[in-house]
Amino acid sequence: MGLYEDNLKGFVLALLSSVFIGASFIIKKKGLRRAAAVSGVRAGYGGYAYLLEPLWWLGMFTMIVGEVANFVAYAFAPAILVTPLGAISIIVSAVLAHFMLKEKLHQLGVLGCVMCISGSVVIVIHAPQESPITSVQEIWMMATQPAFLLYLGSVVVLVVLLILYFAPRCGHTNVLVFTGICSLMGSLSVMSVKALGTALKLTFEGKNQLVYPETWFFVSIVVTCVITQMNYLNKALDTFNTSVVSPIYYVMFTSLTILASVIMFKDWDGQDTGSIVSELCGFIAVLCGTIVLNSTKDSDRGSSFRGGHAPLSPTLPTGLFNGNRESPKQDEENAVLPDEICLRKHEQY
């Protein structure tokens, strides 16, 4: 299926979003480390000292710019096109780290970048064209259909279980707990962001959607989901190594978002089997490229870490099942280095 005008706008905005978001994670990670070194309480253990750290707020500002671009992109293009392009932020981080942070990008890392780009191109080429939406009430009808209500109920139950039962018991030893909460809430936030973005787009076109209570309901869902996501993403980033959080969060978040979009907006209705298979193949290529790229970043840190210390993180499977936690001692050592201006680690949100 060709690249239509609205899809092109969404594609460009999604790319710009990835550039800003990719840079923001590096800045935020540094801010979290500095805050932990000053306060002695890390975000993963309930600390909120990072709210007083200017560097963390700079990262937040950069991320907000990226998220605004991402927000607008969802108003023009389907989630199945916009969401997978988030992998580009990992490529941006890897390339910037190679030239600016002197973190060598190995041949396997280059392969990961090529896989992400190739998969993204395939997704863009075969992305579905959305049916025109004339009002926010039409989106409300999509959100209240039985299939999506079943998905919504499942997400709410899982999030409550993860927060109330699993997080206190194994949240700091199993990376899937915090990232699971972020991913599940993220899939709902994307659906609400798309609804809100479409409502604002229609309003600017002269069809005021702000008079409908459904619009403000979607606003409340966006705020709730984003706050929850940011809280538990900070916990995940502060508790586990970035090379483990990044691919797991990206895979879970993107998969759940595409599933939610297919259920709610029926993205695949009207598409032929070949286009759907091509999109899935492109998505798998992006996922594999993301994992490969993060694994090379992990091994590079292990070989280049100064002072004879052990690598900051083991391999992805080890980190998944053994916790792969960052020690406060390592954070303190990194924080007191006078010549450390840049991060050794970066991630995907």
Side-chain angles (χ1 to χ4, degrees), residues 17-26 89-90 92-93 96 346-347:
S17 169
S18 293
V19 172
F20 284 100
I21 291 176
S24 73
F25 287 127
I26 299 176
S89 63
I90 296 182
V92 171
S93 296
L96 288 177
H346 43 267
E347 65 238 57

Side-chain angles (χ1 to χ4, degrees), residues 168-192:
R169 291 168 173 79
C170 54
H172 293 91
T173 58
N174 191 324
V175 68
L176 294 178
V177 177
F178 291 153
T179 54
I181 296 172
C182 293
S183 301
L184 289 165
M185 295 299 287
S187 67
L188 297 183
S189 69
V190 168
M191 298 303 101
S192 299

